[in-house]
Structures are given as C-alpha cells and as structure tokens.
Amino acid sequence: MTQDKSERVQQVFDSASTRYDLMNDLMSLGVHRLLKRIALERTGVRAGHLVLDLAGGTGDMTKLLAHAVGDEGRVVLADANGAMLDLGRERLLNRGILGVEYVVASAECLPFARSTFDCLVCAFGFRNFSDQEAASAECRRVLKSGGRLVILEFSIPKNASLARAFRLYKSGWPMLGRAVVGDAAPYDYLVESIETHPSPDAVSLILSDHGFEDVRWHGLLGGVVTLHTARA
C-alpha cells in the first residue's frame, strides 16, 4: 500500500513538475506565497542555522529560509522527486541563491545524522508521505534537541459550509491541470490526497507519539490550511 502511494506520488510530480509553480499560483490565487511567509515567521530561524526544507519541491520555501539563515547558515532542500529538485536548483541558482544543498531523499529514510538540523520545514508535502509515522520519527531524529518543526498542510475546514465551498473550489483543479499542464491526473490526486489526509488533531497525535513536544496547530484561511508547530 505504501509502495503504491510512493510510486503514484512520483508519477504525479514527474508529470506536473514543469508547470508546478504556475499551477500553485493559479490554484491558490497566489495565497500560497503568503502562507509560506507565515510559516517562515513561526520557524524562529536566524542567521547561522542549519535548516532542512523537506519535500521542498521547486524551492519556494528554501528561498525564504536561505535569506533568513544568511551566509553563515545553510539550507538543505530535500525532495523524493529528482525532476522537482532539478527545477528547484535551476530556479534558485538563477536567482543568485547559493549555499543550498540539494538531496534526493525519502522522508521515511532521511540520509542525515541524528541531531543535525536546527529547524525542519515541510510545506504542503506531509500528506504525500507514504508512511507519515515513519516520516515523523525521521523528522524527530534529524532535529537537534529543542529544534523546531513547522508543517504547512491542506486540511478540511470544520465549518460545514466552508468545507462544501472548498470542495467545490478544488473540484475545478483537475480541469485547470488539463488545460495548463495537459494532464488532469496530478490534480485528481491532489484533490484525493487532501480529502484522505488525517485531521489536524490526528497529525498532532502522530507527532506527539514520535517524541515531539509543545505540539500545536493553527487553522489558516478558515481551516483550509493548517500550520503545525512542534519542538524536538
């Protein structure tokens, strides 16, 4: 089951990679950029820190983090999909952002030593992990004691009217994907992955079970997105 999901996620992002950033802007009306800045503020990242941007895709979050850690720090951009990572590298280098390390890595088996990072950020990637329990354990392992975990992820609003409106809104994403990318399948998967993703309370329980402390979550955009924070 987990292997099937992993293979499907790889196929989805291989198909969508070249227009990934454009589709994010279209689907969110650009709001995803504001949400990532909010997540950055909650990291507490400062100059000199070593930060892991997990499932960082084409590097939106890495760009923000790289500015925050400065020349004294370093950001590692890790993603399971090599095509996405290549686009992220090209995009960041073209913007003059250096000092970033690029690593193809599965969240369930991270190639980093214990207690490596001051902060770990995962923006809209947690729901794609084939084994969220194993990924949470790995996130805890590679964070330094007291290190910060910040997860930004879609969720289903608790308000029934808003939940219906969100479902109606995202039902148009596959059609948009077909028009822009030439393939609706990645966005059929996106809609499905949001619907089947665990609730914010369930994600918090997973994090607590794997050793995280001060686990909290905050609903954004009426609960369409959830910001999770925790301390190793």
Side-chain angles (χ1 to χ4, degrees), residues 130-206:
S130 58
D131 186 337
Q132 293 170 354
E133 298 273 355
S136 298
E138 281 291 270
C139 290
R140 176 63 185 84
R141 181 183 67 80
V142 301
L143 275 169
K144 296 176 182 178
S145 178
R148 194 77 165 163
L149 173 71
V150 176
I151 297 171
L152 198 59
E153 192 50 89
F154 287 113
S155 48
I156 302 299
K158 291 186 176 181
N159 179 278
S161 297
L162 186 55
R164 283 194 297 270
F166 182 43
R167 286 191 171 98
L168 178 63
Y169 178 68
K170 70 181 188 291
S171 68
W173 291 353
M175 188 180 302
L176 182 64
R178 185 179 297 280
V180 175
V181 179
D183 188 359
Y187 303 96
D188 284 325
Y189 166 77
L190 174 58
V191 172
E192 177 188 329
S193 69
I194 295 171
E195 289 293 326
T196 58
H197 183 59
S199 69
D201 285 332
V203 172
S204 293
L205 184 59
I206 291 171

Side-chain angles (χ1 to χ4, degrees), residues 68-79:
V69 302
D71 294 337
E72 304 92 345
R74 184 161 55 95
V75 181
V76 177
L77 171 54
D79 199 284

Side-chain angles (χ1 to χ4, degrees), residues 92-149:
L92 292 170
L93 289 175
N94 286 343
R95 295 185 178 187
I97 298 174
L98 307 177
V100 174
E101 181 180 348
Y102 302 88
V103 179
V104 176
S106 164
E108 295 82 5
C109 187
L110 294 173
F112 309 111
R114 182 179 300 276
S115 303
T116 296
F117 297 99
D118 297 290
C119 180
L120 190 157
V121 181
C122 182
F124 300 109
F126 192 82
R127 75 184 184 285
N128 295 321
F129 298 154
S130 58
D131 186 337
Q132 293 170 354
E133 298 273 355
S136 298
E138 281 291 270
C139 290
R140 176 63 185 84
R141 181 183 67 80
V142 301
L143 275 169
K144 296 176 182 178
S145 178
R148 194 77 165 163
L149 173 71

